[in-house]
Amino acid sequence: MSFFKTFFASLLAIFVSVFFLFLLGVILFVSSQKETEPYIGDGSVLEINMGSTLIERPSPDPLSMLMQDPDRVPITLRELESNLEKAAADQRIEGVWIKVNNLAAPWAHLAAMRNEMLKFRETSGKFIYVSTEDIGFNEQSFFIATAADSVFSPPETFFEFDGFFIQAVFFKEFLDKIGVEAEIFRAGDYKSAVEPFYRSSFSEENELQLQAIIDNVADIFLDAVGRRTGKSRAELDALMNEEPVLTSRGAFEAGLIDKLLYPSEVKKQIETRIKEQGHRELRTVSYNRYNRVSRSAAGIPKAAGNDKIALIYASGNIMPDPGAPSVFPDSREMITARGMADHLKAAREDDQVKAIVLRINSPGGAGSTSDLIWHEIRQTAMEKPVIASMGSVAASGGYYIGMAADTIVASGQSITGSIGVFGVAMNMQELFNEKLGLYFDEVTTHEQSLWLTPDKPMTEVARTTFQSYVDEFYNVFLQRVSESRNMTIEEVHEVAGGRVWAGTDAYEAGLVDVLGELNEALAIAAEAAGIEAYTVESYPKPKSLLELLSGSAQKQVKILLNPGIKELEHLDPIFHILKNDSRTVIARIPFDYQIH
């Protein structure tokens, strides 16, 4: 049965690949007919249609995005930075019009975008207008809007201004009902990744660290709103604690937005401004079209020389290499020791690469894999400067690999720290025996042969041994922090214990060197290498045509034969533990933090 399933899945993948090959040929033909350098008329306004999110960089599977409406493709931070830099220098561009609705994006990304908008206004003297349509503003999108000259919204559109929360799901009672007991091993009172397995609510320690993180978000949000509106923190807190502001009309009356205008009226407002500046008509240029405008055409001189900085993205869970690719590969990004070693080697051996920036977006993962990557980075740092730049999250194993760099740069809103480890083993004896009527028998060679089988509880010897294993790795983690941060073990204990920190607090605690975004990390790398002009070369490299076709085809087959059930996403940590080797020491934050 398994053979036929694999055979037909492979056959279907071939047909889907052929279809994508034909589609790609059509797209390449159409693209070849288009101008490579778009014409931009004087008095143009750059129009940016934000999607539902803001991502770090383009999808690792760009072929999967070809069928999307170009205006719906998520905006990436790197492209946004480039387009705003070009628009600031481009004399043909008079301003920027950002259309935004509800956004769901990490606050570190939002803060980076807001900083780029403020930089654009300051350096160019040009305007930025932000407007919304029928979906309206939530706090994330309004945070972006606070960097604009003017903010507009239709009169009857949604507007959210009611505070923030972090929510987690706990499964202890669910496990009790199905007859499964989680055997927990951890090092650090704040290492709360395993709490859902044995509690029904946050521990006091976990609630403390989560409160600090969410308070950090509230602080930067209300500071931005206060700077724009002139309202004090007390006034804004009172506004959020009262009856929630849920309409744009209410937001206008509260002085949060400038005018109640429909989209067509916003366009007329911009047109009036353009004509006042001496242009006959308003011309808008789309974000995707402006992507194709070269830096030289925008008026930015080309960097002299051939010096490069390698920008290596470390995104996703840190996991052991899965080996041979599956017929149905996981489409999510993953950091492996082999993959990172290959990228670091390529950067080391390229004589034009003078420094390396490691961009980390990872909640952590396997401790052993994190240690292998740490070693590869340390070896590389002996040859060339290596700067770690933390994205939205660089915690636990993500922090572990970052310590190998010469300098650690973090956004004020990065989630980091979580210096701690844990392990989980599932005892499913009751589920097997009493719920399902399944029994196991075996023959063994030694007393501890069955120390980690799911059909029976662990022995006391096994528990003690596994806890020692976890504690041993935790001590290595502490030692790595001590050496990296020039702290005593006692000082490390004060900031460790698995505690999660926001970037600003991590800086105060001495866990990071500099507060800043990716640009700051690149500047530090250039200074360390003694270069001024450089280009940035990103790793991983874009996939080949064959890899794109194969990956997209297999992804589509996986969706067809195994459609996801959104409601089961809450149980993913359980399945993650069950399907992976339970003997692994895990250095990972509790869950993927979603601040709503």
Side-chain angles (χ1 to χ4, degrees):
M1 187 68 181
S2 176
F3 167 78
F4 285 109
K5 182 178 179 181
T6 303
F7 172 75
F8 286 116
S10 300
L11 191 62
L12 182 56
I14 292 172
F15 282 118
V16 176
S17 295
V18 171
F19 169 75
F20 274 109
L21 182 60
F22 170 76
L23 179 64
L24 184 64
V26 173
I27 291 173
L28 290 175
F29 174 77
V30 173
S31 298
S32 68
Q33 308 305 308
K34 296 181 180 179
E35 54 186 345
T36 56
E37 183 75 44
Y39 170 76
I40 307 296
D42 290 339
S44 293
V45 171
L46 174 59
E47 186 177 326
I48 303 176
N49 287 309
M50 297 292 296
S52 59
T53 188
L54 176 66
I55 60 177
E56 175 79 19
R57 61 192 177 107
S59 167
D61 183 12
L63 192 64
S64 66
M65 304 174 73
L66 290 178
M67 294 297 290
Q68 295 189 30
D69 180 345
D71 290 333
R72 300 290 181 181
V73 174
I75 300 293
T76 69
L77 279 173
R78 291 292 291 165
E79 286 181 345
L80 178 74
E81 171 201 328
S82 176
N83 274 350
L84 288 180
E85 184 183 4
K86 289 188 298 184
D90 197 334
Q91 295 183 1
R92 301 166 297 180
I93 299 294
E94 292 292 342
V96 176
W97 179 12
I98 299 177
K99 299 178 180 179
V100 62
N101 287 297
N102 276 8
L103 274 175
W107 281 88
H109 293 178
L110 298 172
M113 177 177 176
R114 185 175 181 276
N115 287 341
E116 290 299 325
M117 293 167 63
L118 291 172
K119 178 181 175 182
F120 169 85
R121 290 178 56 198
E122 181 180 349
T123 58
S124 70
K126 301 174 182 180
F127 69 86
I128 293 183
Y129 285 169
V130 172
S131 68
T132 187
E133 297 173 342
D134 52 337
I135 298 178
F137 289 109
N138 60 354
E139 279 101 347
Q140 285 93 329
S141 54
F142 185 60
F143 177 69
I144 295 298
T146 61
D149 294 87
S150 297
V151 182
F152 309 111
S153 174
E156 308 305 330
T157 297
F158 179 77
F159 187 97
E160 184 180 17
F161 195 77
D162 53 12
F164 306 93
F165 68 90
I166 294 175
Q167 188 176 56
V169 62
F170 295 81
F171 352 98
K172 181 185 182 302
E173 292 191 21
F174 167 75
L175 295 176
D176 290 343
K177 288 180 185 294
I178 65 172
V180 175
E181 178 188 8
E183 307 251 20
I184 304 300
F185 306 88
R186 67 173 181 170
D189 293 336
Y190 289 90
K191 198 63 182 176
S192 51
V194 289
E195 283 189 359
F197 295 101
Y198 70 92
R199 293 182 58 91
S200 297
S201 61
F202 293 128
S203 66
E204 183 178 343
E205 293 84 1
N206 196 13
E207 189 171 340
L208 177 66
Q209 66 180 355
L210 293 180
Q211 191 66 57
I213 289 171
I214 204 168
D215 285 346
N216 173 267
V217 169
D219 288 343
I220 66 158
F221 173 75
L222 293 175
D223 178 70
V225 175
R227 288 175 182 275
R228 189 176 197 287
T229 62
K231 294 181 181 296
S232 68
R233 175 64 185 262
E235 290 174 312
L236 294 173
D237 282 334
L239 189 61
M240 298 185 91
N241 286 326
E242 294 168 358
E243 183 178 342
V245 175
L246 293 178
T247 66
S248 54
R249 192 177 297 277
F252 174 69
E253 292 171 354
L256 299 177
I257 61 179
D258 297 295
K259 285 185 181 180
L260 299 176
L261 297 177
Y262 290 100
S264 60
E265 294 174 321
V266 176
K267 187 173 183 178
K268 288 181 180 178
Q269 180 102 357
I270 298 175
E271 186 174 22
T272 299
R273 177 161 184 166
I274 292 299
K275 288 181 177 179
E276 288 175 351
Q277 293 175 336
H279 301 287
R280 290 189 303 172
E281 60 180 352
L282 168 64
R283 301 179 182 184
T284 59
V285 53
S286 72
Y287 180 85
N288 289 293
R289 183 177 175 81
Y290 200 66
N291 267 339
R292 292 164 37 221
V293 172
S294 65
R295 294 173 64 84
S296 58
I300 300 175
K302 184 179 180 180
N306 298 316
D307 292 339
K308 297 186 292 188
I309 292 178
L311 175 57
I312 301 178
Y313 286 94
S315 303
N317 288 310
I318 300 173
M319 299 292 289
D321 196 310
S326 165
V327 175
F328 302 115
D330 193 334
S331 61
R332 291 174 294 186
E333 290 186 279
M334 184 169 64
I335 305 168
T336 66
R338 183 182 301 176
M340 285 300 300
D342 289 344
H343 301 329
L344 290 165
K345 180 182 178 183
R348 284 197 308 268
E349 294 181 351
D350 188 338
D351 292 336
Q352 293 180 347
V353 170
K354 304 304 181 184
I356 298 167
V357 171
L358 182 66
R359 179 66 169 177
I360 304 171
N361 271 294
S362 174
S368 57
T369 308
S370 301
D371 193 58
L372 286 178
I373 295 172
W374 174 90
H375 176 73
E376 288 292 332
I377 297 170
R378 284 307 307 147
Q379 294 299 111
T380 302
M382 293 179 184
E383 298 184 31
K384 297 181 179 182
V386 178
I387 310 300
S389 170
M390 293 181 172
S392 59
V393 57
S396 205
Y399 182 73
Y400 194 108
I401 66 175
M403 289 188 299
D406 302 306
T407 303
I408 301 176
V409 181
S411 162
Q413 288 66 56
S414 296
I415 303 299
T416 190
S418 192
I419 301 165
V421 294
F422 69 91
V424 179
M426 292 297 183
N427 170 19
M428 295 185 278
Q429 185 178 50
E430 183 183 344
L431 171 65
F432 288 147
N433 296 171
E434 299 182 21
K435 307 289 185 182
L436 301 178
L438 298 176
Y439 290 85
F440 298 80
D441 197 6
E442 56 276 318
V443 293
T444 65
T445 60
H446 295 83
E447 292 183 8
Q448 299 301 325
S449 297
L450 299 171
W451 78 280
L452 197 59
T453 55
D455 62 293
K456 54 180 61 64
M458 297 176 72
T459 65
E460 284 304 316
V461 172
R463 287 194 186 95
T464 301
T465 303
F466 196 51
Q467 184 62 57
S468 296
Y469 176 40
V470 170
D471 291 340
E472 230 172 84
F473 190 88
Y474 181 54
N475 289 331
V476 171
F477 203 160
L478 296 178
Q479 188 61 41
R480 297 274 190 259
V481 178
S482 174
E483 295 167 358
S484 168
R485 308 311 305 160
N486 195 26
M487 301 166 70
T488 66
I489 293 294
E490 291 72 24
E491 289 172 328
V492 175
H493 271 293
E494 293 295 319
V495 297
R499 182 164 183 173
V500 180
W501 302 84
T504 50
D505 295 328
Y507 175 73
E508 293 294 330
L511 294 178
V512 303
D513 298 294
V514 178
L515 287 178
E517 307 296 342
L518 178 56
N519 279 343
E520 182 71 21
L522 290 168
I524 292 172
E527 183 178 358
I531 58 176
E532 295 183 2
Y534 59 87
T535 57
V536 176
E537 184 158 326
S538 297
Y539 297 80
K541 299 286 189 179
K543 294 181 180 179
S544 69
L545 175 61
L546 182 60
E547 290 171 326
L548 288 175
L549 291 172
S550 173
S552 266
Q554 291 180 356
K555 181 178 176 183
Q556 296 305 317
V557 172
K558 181 178 180 181
I559 292 171
L560 286 172
L561 297 185
N562 186 25
I565 302 175
K566 185 173 178 61
E567 287 71 21
L568 292 181
E569 289 178 359
H570 293 301
L571 305 182
D572 181 67
I574 295 178
F575 297 126
H576 176 82
I577 296 298
L578 293 178
K579 75 181 181 181
N580 288 285
D581 189 347
S582 298
R583 294 166 294 185
T584 300
V585 172
I586 303 172
R588 196 185 190 284
I589 58 173
F591 44 85
D592 295 327
Y593 285 104
Q594 296 291 330
I595 300 176
H596 306 275

